Amino acid sequence: MKDIRWGIIGLGWFGEVHAEVLASLPGVELAALCTRRPQRLAEVADRFQVARRTTDYRDLLADPDVDVVGITTHIHDHRDIAIDALRSGKHVFLEKPMAPTPEDCDRILAAADSAAGSFMVGHICRFDPRVALAKQAIDEGQIGKIVSMHARRNLSVKIGRMVLDSISALMGDGIHDGDLMLWFSQARPVSVYAQEIHPGDNKYPDGGWAMVRLDSGAIMVIESIWHLPESTPYQIDARMEVIGTEGALYINCGEAGLEIHDRAGNRRPDTLYWPNVFGQRFGILRAELRYFADCVAAGRRPERITPRESRDAVALLAAAEQSSRTGQVVLF
Amino acid sequence: MKDIRWGIIGLGWFGEVHAEVLASLPGVELAALCTRRPQRLAEVADRFQVARRTTDYRDLLADPDVDVVGITTHIHDHRDIAIDALRSGKHVFLEKPMAPTPEDCDRILAAADSAAGSFMVGHICRFDPRVALAKQAIDEGQIGKIVSMHARRNLSVKIGRMVLDSISALMGDGIHDGDLMLWFSQARPVSVYAQEIHPGDNKYPDGGWAMVRLDSGAIMVIESIWHLPESTPYQIDARMEVIGTEGALYINCGEAGLEIHDRAGNRRPDTLYWPNVFGQRFGILRAELRYFADCVAAGRRPERITPRESRDAVALLAAAEQSSRTGQVVLF
Amino acid sequence: MKDIRWGIIGLGWFGEVHAEVLASLPGVELAALCTRRPQRLAEVADRFQVARRTTDYRDLLADPDVDVVGITTHIHDHRDIAIDALRSGKHVFLEKPMAPTPEDCDRILAAADSAAGSFMVGHICRFDPRVALAKQAIDEGQIGKIVSMHARRNLSVKIGRMVLDSISALMGDGIHDGDLMLWFSQARPVSVYAQEIHPGDNKYPDGGWAMVRLDSGAIMVIESIWHLPESTPYQIDARMEVIGTEGALYINCGEAGLEIHDRAGNRRPDTLYWPNVFGQRFGILRAELRYFADCVAAGRRPERITPRESRDAVALLAAAEQSSRTGQVVLF
Amino acid sequence: MKDIRWGIIGLGWFGEVHAEVLASLPGVELAALCTRRPQRLAEVADRFQVARRTTDYRDLLADPDVDVVGITTHIHDHRDIAIDALRSGKHVFLEKPMAPTPEDCDRILAAADSAAGSFMVGHICRFDPRVALAKQAIDEGQIGKIVSMHARRNLSVKIGRMVLDSISALMGDGIHDGDLMLWFSQARPVSVYAQEIHPGDNKYPDGGWAMVRLDSGAIMVIESIWHLPESTPYQIDARMEVIGTEGALYINCGEAGLEIHDRAGNRRPDTLYWPNVFGQRFGILRAELRYFADCVAAGRRPERITPRESRDAVALLAAAEQSSRTGQVVLF
């Protein structure tokens, strides 16, 4: 079978991690790169020896030798680029969150409905074996009916500072857990209440808490604080508690099986999401991109997460941000 | 020095644990026992060979050979008994929560203000070395200014069923963490929002979440779910996260250093609160009762926690219960 | 590129897991199956719709439409089948341990030296991101010079019973850690001393401990007990401690990020090695087989582990078994 | 009852910790202090306002106003001082290890047999609730017959450097676990084999491993490494695994419920052994000294650990040191 030709729009640090994965993925060719910044474009394209390079994403969308477009830009560019990409007929892999508002998401959904290509938003955690096994246990009824959920996804202030001018912590990481909890419970939000903190100097709040009532009667609580101290050993302190009427389960992605104490202090390197193992990126991101590539190759519609679900997660977190701004409970 | 003569009013399971501690505490005499149930009274008094026994707590309060009164009744009897005990001139140790409402607490406070004896509400966690060392680290500025706190204190449904006709999970265990967080932050609540779940058949909700905004700008979140499955290995799943501008600290009293896997399953016995070590009760409860006895012996006013602080914790959790009932944010 | 056609010899439970992985691996065709047991052969071959099936492994080796041979038989059949497979010109993937004795291994090594195909022994842990990141940290000097190592790899008695007629716990799982520690330290054993326990009814000892002195001066200690209680929450309790002159690191594969408490008790499912995620096998085994397939496809010699290293791990554990039998320290 | 008057011989850092506990223990008077170093004597005696102070321990033994003698000197002084103290008729509390050799211990035992006072060696871990609850579970048969045990008790190189001129890590901390394992199993050693490492510049080896065969058939393994990096978050990394035919149990005193991440790095302060809680020492050391004081006050012989058991632990670790020196298995 012919290799799938993948182009990337957006070459921040995460776009480059995408490139690293794709460059070593059998059956995939890293075919084209795009960023508005010429110097960065040259740097990354040279590194991966990619000939097709452009500072205008429309060039990439018009290129007949590109099959898949991965969008890893800032969230504020998602809507327009995703819609153009869908209209171009390419297969589109869009990083999460889908877009800043549910209205933006709805416009992307409309474009996706009439698009020829496959479309998926990169909710990486759905590809985490821990999460998937938890979902399977829940669906098999092992913990009964869910009554309470809590998710924490906290980061060092060092990482926070790099992204808090683009997105709030609550939207940026809460989007993961908002989605997972709706998926686990198969319920819909009735109300949401949130509070945020803003100790840093960036544009968006450094942390937030959201409490959601679901129509199933369950409570879900999201914690996302990008203000852990520089000395935190956590690459990411990500964990989840799901309590049901018959059982409970606990996911811990913060203590991911390796702890190093050396002259520089203590750390728990990323072993799960995109660990660099002898020069290649492994882990959940690789599984996720592999999944989308396999869907494209087989002509299958991605089913692990639907665009509608991605939109619903945005709607939930956007409502949380609104609650935080107004101090009021937001009803759905 | 003469032994301090301690009488107990209320002989549920926890009153009996008090008796076990006091019966083995040097310098203390377990002098008198009281419960309304004659059969239970005989059972416990015989066990500890206590001669002074009564079903009317006024008898105990009138007894000149009793120095200290410990009150371990249901919360709904706290107010009247505590006020009578304070007026009797005895030293009074009252179990937490102080009373069901801040108004009840205020009446107890008024009685305490004009009382001859010492008075303390049994906020056991203030005597936990983990908590105390955390408080010291916070006061020394090691984590900077607190921005976010979370506390979980979850119990098996087996334990929940035994107490949920007297008190909600949110008030019953949230009282601990509400107090600790106010103590840690030295801030006052501005608003509280809460949600509760009620999957069981008891009178009060089995679990709840409260989110509090403090006047320092920090967020505090309390989780108290008495609905863990019967198979839970946790005696109590109690942990706390405190994030500051310069550091973070984590308390874990749920995995207290011993895990047993046997034919009956998995469990993590209580090694902290009132472990039974070769027939004697040790741990934090013992340290707490020792502290109060030492205060009485030395004629010192207890300072580890003040009645005012105990009252403020009740006010916070009562407001959370109100928010849960009304669905509204409660402002202070 | 043409798919790599992979045949499997040996269809116990782990041979079937291999089949599950290979059947879903892009670029690989599960092409042929072999076991001596006709009924089992039909069962597995039907499940994966594999037409080429045989009870005589020589048929499979003679089949020109098979490129790679995976050997997942009992360890006592490894030597003869591996030598025949190597002589047949196929690429050979042999499960660990390479063979029961270093002499057997030497004969396989000799066959491999003159073989046309690639050859690798399946030391899965070398493909574990936790392990690989630890190796990288060690090689970068982050923990200085290693002085002490301990590895535990303990299993439930339920699993032990299934395999202890073929292999001892010390050889069966110690082979992993023996290899990893030699790899980490790049040192050679000077002496080994071991003790084993044999509480069960199977042929081989249920557990063992080995203490090794390395020529670098470091001590390495291996613990392998296949006698955890049936109620153990561990799928496998696998962890490693590596202490150096400048740092220390800790690997924990026993608490792999998911814990489930339900009516059946407590468990920590496999999320690392070959987790079944929505019907497909993911994890480290998949990464390992992918690696070998990619080496074959690219005509590269596998370098992540050499046959010589696999042989040295067998020599170490065989010496430990000898020490356990004789009660004497074995010198190298 | 009259206060028990306690004198301390040996005022290193741990002698001072003893003084801190005793100075705040109801029913006990810190009555006399002794060290050979006049300046240190003045410093500690002034701090606790102790009038009876001497640089000659014989003065303290001759003082009729001292009831109990606590010996916290270097191990090499234990034998002579303990024998003199026992002959003086005082009650004697001797820190562990009892003495460097079993022969020394036997001479102390002989003196204790004909002594008027009570005698106990300070095996603090026997007073740890975690350990005591484990012992109770074992004695109740909950894990069946013990087949394998492992104990780790590792310390930072910072602490190691302070004590390694007096004692080896294997004897210094292995004495705890050697004793506990013999106590748990109620078995006797048949053979011991050990290896030590000596990366530091101090007189004694920085770390060691011992493997013991018991007459019950069980294996016990002791790990004691005083060479963790300066950045280690562990105050002490102390944990134990006990596997039986019917169950298993795990003690963890290394992660004792509090973790602090601040500008100085990460640490897990001592919350168990002698935590300083608002100016007073609490924890297991306090429980141990309380126990001995209560025995003295009540005229009871201490039973939690016998001098014979303390001697047997020394014999075991001394044999391990001999094995390490000779490279041979030592038989009992």
Side-chain angles (χ1 to χ4, degrees), chain C residues 201-267:
Chain C
D201 298 326
N202 293 83
K203 183 172 175 194
Y204 291 98
D206 308 67
W209 281 88
M211 194 188 304
V212 181
R213 192 78 187 201
L214 295 173
D215 62 3
S216 64
I219 302 170
M220 59 181 262
V221 176
I222 296 171
E223 169 188 3
S224 181
I225 312 284
W226 291 355
H227 205 73
L228 298 181
E230 301 210 357
S231 64
T232 188
Y234 292 113
Q235 191 72 19
I236 186 164
D237 182 14
R239 53 192 81 202
M240 194 182 282
E241 171 199 50
V242 183
I243 303 174
T245 50
E246 308 291 335
L249 62 83
Y250 302 85
I251 300 171
N252 183 346
C253 296
E255 291 165 270
L258 179 60
E259 193 166 337
I260 302 179
H261 307 155
D262 61 14
R263 274 158 298 190
N266 299 168
R267 63 208 145 83

Side-chain angles (χ1 to χ4, degrees), chain B residues 52-69:
Chain B
R52 294 165 197 277
R53 49 181 83 178
T54 174
T55 56
D56 184 339
Y57 75 84
R58 287 173 198 84
D59 294 344
L60 195 149
L61 298 183
D63 188 335
D65 290 330
V66 169
D67 305 309
V68 174
V69 173

Side-chain angles (χ1 to χ4, degrees), chain B residues 8-292:
Chain B
I8 299 175
I9 299 172
L11 293 175
W13 74 270
F14 200 48
E16 188 166 5
V17 174
H18 271 238
E20 290 181 33
V21 172
L22 294 167
S24 72
L25 210 57
V28 171
E29 180 196 344
L30 181 60
L33 294 173
C34 169
T35 172
R36 274 172 299 206
R37 296 171 290 154
Q39 200 172 343
R40 175 67 175 165
L41 180 64
E43 179 191 14
V44 181
D46 288 354
R47 178 181 167 201
F48 294 102
Q49 298 177 291
V50 174
R52 294 165 197 277
R53 49 181 83 178
T54 174
T55 56
D56 184 339
Y57 75 84
R58 287 173 198 84
D59 294 344
L60 195 149
L61 298 183
D63 188 335
D65 290 330
V66 169
D67 305 309
V68 174
V69 173
I71 303 171
T72 48
T73 64
H74 285 188
I75 185 177
H76 301 288
D77 296 324
H78 278 190
R79 187 193 61 190
D80 293 351
I81 298 177
I83 290 173
D84 287 350
L86 287 163
R87 287 182 181 156
S88 76
K90 309 273 186 232
H91 305 287
V92 177
F93 180 96
L94 174 64
E95 259 307 323
K96 43 64 43 190
M98 194 178 193
T101 70
E103 294 72 28
D104 291 334
C105 294
D106 286 336
R107 291 182 52 192
I108 297 174
L109 280 178
D113 279 346
S114 53
S118 288
F119 176 51
M120 190 175 99
V121 181
H123 282 265
I124 183 172
C125 293
R126 293 239 186 162
F127 295 85
D128 183 337
R130 280 144 291 268
V131 168
L133 293 171
K135 170 66 173 165
Q136 291 168 209
I138 291 166
D139 285 356
E140 290 165 8
Q142 288 174 17
I143 64 167
K145 190 166 173 294
I146 293 171
V147 295
S148 179
M149 294 181 275
H150 167 241
R152 171 185 299 170
R153 203 169 290 267
N154 293 350
L155 289 174
S156 165
V157 68
K158 278 187 290 189
I159 299 175
R161 272 185 215 120
M162 299 192 311
V163 279
L164 282 164
D165 284 329
S166 300
I167 197 165
S168 69
L170 192 53
M171 175 60 87
D173 259 338
I175 194 77
H176 290 294
D177 298 302
D179 170 57
L180 294 182
M181 288 171 169
L182 294 177
W183 188 45
F184 284 171
S185 63
Q186 292 294 302
R188 300 195 64 76
V190 172
S191 67
V192 59
Y193 176 79
Q195 289 276 357
E196 291 179 286
I197 53 167
H198 201 153
D201 299 326
N202 292 84
K203 184 172 175 192
Y204 291 98
D206 308 67
W209 282 88
M211 194 187 304
V212 181
R213 191 77 186 203
L214 295 172
D215 62 2
S216 64
I219 302 170
M220 60 181 262
V221 176
I222 295 172
E223 169 188 4
S224 181
I225 312 284
W226 291 354
H227 204 73
L228 298 181
E230 301 212 356
S231 65
T232 187
Y234 293 112
Q235 190 72 19
I236 186 163
D237 182 14
R239 54 192 79 202
M240 195 182 280
E241 170 199 49
V242 183
I243 302 175
T245 50
E246 308 291 335
L249 61 83
Y250 302 85
I251 299 171
N252 183 345
C253 296
E255 292 166 89
L258 178 60
E259 193 165 337
I260 302 179
H261 308 154
D262 61 15
R263 273 158 298 190
N266 299 170
R267 65 208 143 83
R268 297 176 183 147
D270 171 29
T271 65
L272 302 178
Y273 297 104
W274 44 84
N276 190 322
V277 176
F278 297 116
Q280 270 195 25
R281 294 284 187 179
F282 280 85
I284 307 173
L285 180 63
R286 188 181 187 90
E288 181 192 32
L289 298 184
R290 171 87 267 160
Y291 173 83
F292 190 69

Side-chain angles (χ1 to χ4, degrees), chain A residues 223-299:
Chain A
E223 169 187 4
S224 181
I225 312 284
W226 291 354
H227 204 73
L228 298 182
E230 301 211 357
S231 64
T232 187
Y234 292 112
Q235 190 72 19
I236 185 165
D237 182 15
R239 53 192 80 202
M240 195 183 281
E241 170 199 50
V242 183
I243 302 174
T245 50
E246 308 291 335
L249 61 83
Y250 302 86
I251 298 171
N252 184 345
C253 296
E255 293 166 89
L258 179 61
E259 194 166 336
I260 302 180
H261 308 155
D262 61 15
R263 273 158 298 190
N266 299 168
R267 65 207 143 84
R268 298 176 182 145
D270 171 28
T271 64
L272 302 179
Y273 296 104
W274 43 85
N276 190 322
V277 176
F278 297 116
Q280 268 195 25
R281 294 285 186 178
F282 280 85
I284 307 173
L285 179 63
R286 188 180 186 89
E288 180 191 34
L289 299 184
R290 171 86 267 159
Y291 173 83
F292 190 69
D294 290 349
C295 285
V296 167

Side-chain angles (χ1 to χ4, degrees), chain A residues 90-110:
Chain A
K90 308 275 187 227
H91 305 286
V92 178
F93 181 95
L94 174 63
E95 260 306 324
K96 42 62 48 187
M98 194 177 191
T101 68
E103 294 72 26
D104 291 335
C105 295
D106 287 335
R107 291 183 51 194
I108 297 174
L109 281 179

Side-chain angles (χ1 to χ4, degrees), chain A:
Chain A
M1 194 193 309
K2 242 185 50 180
D3 277 4
I4 291 163
R5 297 163 301 177
W6 196 303
I8 300 175
I9 299 172
L11 293 175
W13 73 271
F14 201 47
E16 188 166 6
V17 173
H18 271 238
E20 291 181 32
V21 172
L22 294 167
S24 72
L25 210 57
V28 171
E29 181 197 343
L30 181 59
L33 293 173
C34 169
T35 173
R36 274 172 297 208
R37 296 171 289 155
Q39 199 171 346
R40 174 68 175 164
L41 180 65
E43 177 190 16
V44 180
D46 287 354
R47 177 179 169 203
F48 294 101
Q49 298 176 291
V50 174
R52 294 164 196 276
R53 47 181 85 177
T54 175
T55 55
D56 183 340
Y57 76 83
R58 287 172 199 84
D59 294 344
L60 194 148
L61 298 183
D63 189 335
D65 289 329
V66 169
D67 306 307
V68 174
V69 173
I71 303 172
T72 49
T73 64
H74 284 190
I75 183 176
H76 302 288
D77 296 325
H78 278 191
R79 188 193 59 192
D80 292 350
I81 299 178
I83 291 173
D84 286 349
L86 287 162
R87 287 183 182 154
S88 76
K90 308 275 187 227
H91 305 286
V92 178
F93 181 95
L94 174 63
E95 260 306 324
K96 42 62 48 187
M98 194 177 191
T101 68
E103 294 72 26
D104 291 335
C105 295
D106 287 335
R107 291 183 51 194
I108 297 174
L109 281 179
D113 279 346
S114 53
S118 287
F119 176 51
M120 189 174 98
V121 182
H123 282 265
I124 184 173
C125 293
R126 293 239 186 163
F127 295 85
D128 183 337
R130 281 144 292 267
V131 168
L133 293 171
K135 171 66 173 167
Q136 291 169 211
I138 292 166
D139 285 355
E140 290 164 7
Q142 289 174 16
I143 65 166
K145 190 168 172 295
I146 293 171
V147 295
S148 179
M149 293 181 275
H150 168 241
R152 171 185 299 169
R153 202 169 291 268
N154 294 349
L155 289 175
S156 164
V157 69
K158 278 187 289 189
I159 299 175
R161 271 185 216 123
M162 300 190 311
V163 279
L164 282 164
D165 283 329
S166 299
I167 196 166
S168 70
L170 192 52
M171 175 61 87
D173 258 339
I175 193 77
H176 290 294
D177 298 303
D179 170 57
L180 294 182
M181 288 171 168
L182 294 177
W183 188 45
F184 283 172
S185 63
Q186 293 294 302
R188 301 195 63 78
V190 172
S191 67
V192 60
Y193 176 79
Q195 290 274 356
E196 290 179 288
I197 53 167
H198 202 153
D201 299 325
N202 293 83
K203 182 172 176 194
Y204 291 97
D206 308 66
W209 282 87
M211 195 188 304
V212 181
R213 192 77 185 202
L214 296 172
D215 62 2
S216 64
I219 301 170
M220 60 180 262
V221 176
I222 295 171
E223 169 187 4
S224 181
I225 312 284
W226 291 354
H227 204 73
L228 298 182
E230 301 211 357
S231 64
T232 187
Y234 292 112
Q235 190 72 19
I236 185 165
D237 182 15
R239 53 192 80 202
M240 195 183 281
E241 170 199 50
V242 183
I243 302 174
T245 50
E246 308 291 335
L249 61 83
Y250 302 86
I251 298 171
N252 184 345
C253 296
E255 293 166 89
L258 179 61
E259 194 166 336
I260 302 180
H261 308 155
D262 61 15
R263 273 158 298 190
N266 299 168
R267 65 207 143 84
R268 298 176 182 145
D270 171 28
T271 64
L272 302 179
Y273 296 104
W274 43 85
N276 190 322
V277 176
F278 297 116
Q280 268 195 25
R281 294 285 186 178
F282 280 85
I284 307 173
L285 179 63
R286 188 180 186 89
E288 180 191 34
L289 299 184
R290 171 86 267 159
Y291 173 83
F292 190 69
D294 290 349
C295 285
V296 167
R300 273 190 284 109
R301 178 175 294 273
E303 293 179 329
R304 191 71 69 83
I305 180 164
T306 67
R308 182 80 210 171
E309 292 172 312
S310 302
R311 181 260 178 217
D312 289 347
V314 169
L316 181 63
L317 274 301
E321 292 184 315
Q322 179 191 338
S323 169
S324 165
R325 277 193 308 274
T326 62
Q328 302 299 314
V329 182
V330 173
L331 301 176
F332 285 81

Side-chain angles (χ1 to χ4, degrees), chain C residues 148 195-196 213 223 241, chain D residues 195-196 209 213 223 241:
Chain C
S148 179
Q195 291 275 356
E196 290 179 287
R213 192 78 187 201
E223 169 188 3
E241 171 199 50
Chain D
Q195 290 275 357
E196 290 179 288
W209 282 88
R213 192 77 186 203
E223 169 187 3
E241 170 199 50

